[in-house]
Amino acid sequence: MSWDCGLRYMFSVSPALQQGSMCILHDKEDLSRLEMVQKLAKDGCRFLQNHSKGPERTCESDEAVRVRLRERGYDALALRRMSSERPAPADSSADSVVSDRYVVVSGTPEKILEHLLNDVTLDDDQGTTQDTLLDDFLLTYPVFMSTSDLCQALPTYCTRRYRGKEERKEALERKRKVLHLVSQWLSLCKHFLREDEHVKLFMKTLYRYVLDDLYEHPALETDVRELQKLYQLHLRHKALFHQLSLKENGLQSRSTQRETKEVLCHVYITTDSYISMKAHAGTAAQELLQAVAERMDVPQGELVLVAVTYPEGRLLLQPQDRVLTDSLRPVGRLHMCRKDLGDVLNPLTDNSELQHRTARMLSLNTWDVAVALTSFDWSIFDSVHEQELVYFTFSRRTSSNHTVALELLLQRCNEVQLWVMTEVLLCPTLCKRVQLIKKFIKIAAHCKAQRNLSCFFAIILGLNTAAVSRLSQTWEKIPGKFKKLFSELETVTDPSLNHKAYRDSFKKMKTPKIPFLPLLLKDITFIHEGNKTFHDNLVNFEKLHMIADTVRLIRQCQRDHMGQYSKSSCEVRAYTDHLHIIDNQQTLFELSHRLEPRA
């Protein structure tokens, strides 16, 4: 029997006790009378709920705890009262103090920002304290306003003098709150704001006002120093920061910032298979030639790199030519060919030749392979920002430069799955194919032990694809110990009950760890599709809070550095960094049927 202390209950007792008598439970103390309850129940009493709203009722309705602000006859902000518990002051005898605060339910962007600023708490000893609701706003504001709009909505600094002490104190507190918000904003989103001209102009204007205010409000000096550190501003006047250098602002130039971003470049060695490798805007054709030559064990002098542009254009790339455009897109479909290139584009090799090569994977240590895969994935995941998931979900149809790292890791996960299929289906003999599948099962287990769930999922899904799972003769030869291990690993990828097995297993893992990002994006999309972003032209901030709470998982997973798995042998790293992949599903099925024809 469940109890709700906030509601009134009564018991209609049997005539044997007393005609029409009632027993009313008012509060928590009354619930201790369980013996009386049991006695009444044994005597045939009926348990009823009293729906009357008496003065004793303590459960407040949803509307009773909500406050609405109206402007010009329209709702501008909706708040909900929420009780929070915080530690009691040192001079107090109580352990904690319960206080009420109002959280945003919905509102216009300007009113939401205004309320969050008013709600910021400032500690004179420790500066400012982090607020989850403010973090929600800064993570999700691109959903309903641009960066330019946010710069314009932030309260500007005015230069007028304040007369009374109270007025001056209030002005100082407001300025410090704005500086706190800007500081949190730059700290959280600095990678997205470095190239934004609106932010540069806003920061220059803000600093001018702040530097003027330092004479009147010396207490702002600590806040200014913190902003300078975050924004990497170089100041020429050390005493009172009187002069601000607008040129030496420490921001990376656009070209430098672009070159630090990497993508996975595909170099085709057959008509439908390629070598995948990292490349940035400054990568030259010579680097790809050298990497493919080492991967395929072919003299580099015999190779040339050709960019095929559609419909029928071809461009022979010179060693120093760049293979990517400024937008990090290939100059064409890149093909590695032999130098005896005639009128027809001759591929470097074909699938029949690849099929007769000895499976190189069989000579590699499975733990070392897992370490190399985890190191590669972590180098990408560590640069993924929480806001990338927001941009990816809400700006999917528009090309955004804010999701480079996220898309790179998603692409890598897909390529690892294709790589597993490619390695198995290009292995010609049955006994070697059995050994290869055993190795992949062990690698998947090692990836799980190294808390790399992205690569773990990719390997298990690759082994479960139709082209590989149909190889019945191969799977029959797998020892029972490995079949049992594979079955245990499969249960983690079981999608039933909303991937409960994966979520429970992942929750128990300590940080750092790499999540399976497609599932995280699915959760965000579910929140997005199931809740309106706007209610009566007001931003649904409760929806954004749920999204922000979900994407913060990225920050939690990146809390520590995965240093113990950063070292692996050069041979293994060269192999896993340049995966050979067949991306044509028809070709993969043809290889599968060639290995084990349909009965």
Side-chain angles (χ1 to χ4, degrees):
M1 184 180 296
S2 61
W3 297 87
D4 188 343
C5 304
L7 295 176
R8 296 174 61 201
Y9 292 98
M10 69 177 181
F11 291 86
S12 177
V13 298
S14 63
L17 293 177
Q18 184 177 353
Q19 185 72 25
S21 62
M22 286 194 308
C23 173
I24 301 178
L25 304 182
H26 293 280
D27 49 29
K28 193 175 295 185
E29 286 73 14
D30 290 331
L31 296 180
S32 61
R33 305 174 184 175
L34 293 179
E35 296 84 4
M36 180 187 63
V37 174
Q38 294 173 351
K39 179 182 178 182
L40 292 173
K42 287 180 181 179
D43 290 329
C45 302
R46 289 182 300 133
F47 183 63
L48 303 175
Q49 178 176 343
N50 183 6
H51 294 281
S52 63
K53 299 181 180 180
E56 300 88 352
R57 185 182 176 102
T58 60
C59 179
E60 296 176 289
S61 65
D62 186 58
E63 290 299 325
V65 296
R66 293 204 180 197
V67 177
R68 295 182 180 274
L69 173 67
R70 297 175 66 87
E71 283 188 350
R72 300 176 182 177
Y74 296 96
D75 288 342
L77 185 67
L79 305 174
R80 184 180 70 250
R81 189 170 70 230
M82 183 179 68
S83 298
S84 59
E85 188 173 341
R86 56 182 176 83
D91 56 351
S92 175
S93 59
D95 296 333
S96 61
V97 177
V98 178
S99 60
D100 290 337
R101 61 179 302 189
Y102 287 89
V103 297
V104 179
V105 176
S106 61
T108 63
E110 294 78 11
K111 288 299 178 183
I112 292 176
L113 181 59
E114 181 181 335
H115 173 77
L116 292 177
L117 276 173
N118 293 332
D119 203 39
V120 168
T121 56
L122 297 174
D123 190 333
D124 293 335
D125 296 328
Q126 300 179 358
T128 55
T129 56
Q130 178 75 21
D131 190 355
T132 303
L133 293 178
L134 181 59
D135 195 57
D136 294 343
F137 176 85
L138 295 176
L139 280 174
T140 59
Y141 80 86
V143 173
F144 55 87
M145 66 190 309
S146 65
T147 301
S148 173
D149 294 334
L150 179 56
C151 292
Q152 294 177 8
L154 282 171
T156 57
Y157 273 67
C158 53
T159 57
R160 68 182 180 88
R161 301 293 178 179
Y162 297 93
R163 297 180 178 179
K165 284 187 177 181
E166 293 298 326
E167 194 174 355
R168 292 161 67 95
K169 182 179 179 181
E170 181 182 345
L172 174 61
E173 184 179 5
R174 188 177 69 253
K175 294 174 189 292
R176 292 191 62 200
K177 286 183 176 183
V178 174
L179 289 177
H180 168 57
L181 185 145
V182 174
S183 175
Q184 294 295 325
W185 183 31
L186 293 178
S187 178
L188 181 65
C189 310
K190 55 187 175 183
H191 298 296
F192 297 121
L193 303 178
R194 281 176 175 168
E195 300 180 16
D196 197 298
E197 297 296 334
H198 297 99
V199 175
K200 291 181 182 180
L201 179 60
F202 168 75
M203 288 302 299
K204 292 174 183 179
T205 306
L206 179 65
Y207 267 98
R208 289 195 188 101
Y209 285 129
V210 174
L211 294 177
D212 290 341
D213 285 340
L214 273 177
Y215 292 101
E216 186 175 358
H217 303 291
L220 292 174
E221 181 175 340
T222 304
D223 302 277
V224 174
R225 286 185 182 276
E226 180 65 22
L227 282 178
Q228 289 166 355
K229 180 180 177 181
L230 289 170
Y231 203 61
Q232 301 176 356
L233 292 173
H234 299 287
L235 302 176
R236 294 181 177 178
H237 198 283
K238 296 182 180 179
L240 294 174
F241 317 123
H242 186 62
Q243 294 180 350
L244 175 66
S245 172
L246 301 181
K247 296 180 180 179
E248 301 176 4
N249 55 10
L251 291 179
Q252 297 183 11
S253 63
R254 294 192 174 192
S255 59
T256 305
Q257 179 71 9
R258 261 202 305 264
E259 287 181 358
T260 61
K261 296 179 180 179
E262 294 179 317
V263 296
L264 290 178
C265 186
H266 299 166
V267 181
Y268 282 82
I269 57 175
T270 70
T271 55
D272 50 18
S273 72
Y274 59 84
I275 301 294
S276 175
M277 60 189 67
K278 276 185 180 180
H280 54 79
T283 300
Q286 179 73 21
E287 299 178 44
L288 299 188
L289 284 167
Q290 181 179 353
V292 173
E294 294 177 358
R295 181 67 171 79
M296 301 303 298
D297 196 19
V298 177
Q300 183 178 340
E302 298 180 6
L303 303 177
V304 291
L305 188 61
V306 178
V308 178
T309 56
Y310 296 96
E312 296 180 356
R314 275 186 316 189
L315 176 63
L316 182 62
L317 297 178
Q318 299 302 316
Q320 300 305 319
D321 288 346
R322 290 169 54 182
V323 297
L324 298 178
T325 63
D326 289 339
S327 60
L328 298 178
R329 297 186 180 277
V331 293
R333 181 178 164 116
L334 301 177
H335 286 260
M336 194 66 68
C337 306
R338 300 189 183 273
K339 275 192 174 179
D340 55 355
L341 179 67
D343 295 335
V344 180
L345 186 64
N346 297 319
L348 173 62
T349 183
D350 55 27
N351 289 330
S352 60
E353 182 181 346
L354 289 171
Q355 208 164 15
H356 288 85
R357 291 174 176 265
T358 303
R360 189 176 176 185
M361 268 287 297
L362 297 177
S363 63
L364 301 179
N365 180 274
T366 54
W367 179 264
D368 290 342
V369 173
V371 168
L373 291 170
T374 299
S375 177
F376 190 98
D377 288 355
W378 179 258
S379 66
I380 304 173
F381 176 70
D382 194 36
S383 61
V384 174
H385 192 277
E386 307 108 294
Q387 223 173 24
E388 292 192 43
L389 284 78
V390 178
Y391 279 106
F392 187 87
T393 304
F394 287 86
S395 308
R396 191 174 302 172
R397 297 180 180 178
T398 60
S399 58
S400 174
N401 202 31
H402 296 323
T403 59
V404 175
L406 175 61
E407 292 181 7
L408 184 62
L409 189 57
L410 292 173
Q411 183 182 353
R412 173 69 175 184
C413 181
N414 184 54
E415 288 187 353
V416 169
Q417 180 179 342
L418 290 172
W419 167 64
V420 171
M421 299 172 63
T422 301
E423 290 286 343
V424 172
L425 297 176
L426 285 180
C427 192
T429 59
L430 178 62
C431 61
K432 289 184 178 180
R433 203 158 54 246
V434 171
Q435 295 178 34
L436 195 57
I437 290 180
K438 287 165 56 180
K439 273 189 172 291
F440 275 123
I441 293 174
K442 291 178 67 176
I443 292 171
H446 293 329
C447 286
K448 182 174 179 288
Q450 296 170 13
R451 305 187 296 279
N452 181 2
L453 276 299
S454 177
C455 201
F456 163 76
F457 256 84
I459 295 174
I460 298 298
L461 293 177
L463 292 175
N464 271 327
T465 53
V468 176
S469 62
R470 66 167 297 276
L471 301 175
S472 57
Q473 299 176 25
T474 304
W475 285 99
E476 287 175 0
K477 298 291 184 180
I478 302 295
K481 180 178 70 173
F482 283 89
K483 286 183 178 179
K484 181 181 178 182
L485 176 60
F486 183 66
S487 178
E488 292 174 355
L489 298 177
E490 271 188 313
T491 58
V492 180
T493 64
D494 183 9
S496 61
L497 299 176
N498 194 18
H499 290 273
K500 183 180 185 300
Y502 162 77
R503 297 181 192 277
D504 292 343
S505 177
F506 188 75
K507 190 180 297 183
K508 296 176 183 177
M509 294 181 179
K510 63 180 182 179
T511 58
K513 50 188 176 181
I514 304 176
F516 183 54
L517 283 181
L519 183 57
L520 189 58
L521 289 170
K522 174 188 172 185
D523 293 342
I524 300 173
T525 303
F526 182 82
I527 296 173
H528 174 44
E529 299 292 341
N531 300 272
K532 293 182 179 180
T533 305
F534 296 92
H535 283 309
D536 299 327
N537 296 323
L538 298 180
V539 178
N540 181 8
F541 199 74
E542 289 186 317
K543 168 185 176 177
L544 302 184
H545 169 69
M546 290 189 290
I547 291 178
D549 205 40
T550 305
V551 303
R552 262 191 290 269
L553 176 68
I554 299 293
R555 190 185 309 173
Q556 298 168 8
C557 295
Q558 297 171 339
R559 189 168 297 165
D560 300 311
H561 183 66
M562 197 171 282
Q564 56 179 325
Y565 304 125
S566 60
K567 295 182 179 180
S568 57
S569 66
C570 296
E571 179 188 6
V572 175
R573 186 181 290 273
Y575 184 78
T576 56
D577 287 1
H578 305 143
L579 299 179
H580 174 222
I581 295 163
I582 297 176
D583 63 346
N584 188 304
Q585 293 295 326
Q586 183 178 352
T587 302
L588 291 170
F589 267 102
E590 290 175 358
L591 290 172
S592 177
H593 285 285
R594 194 180 303 171
L595 293 174
E596 295 187 18
R598 184 179 301 169

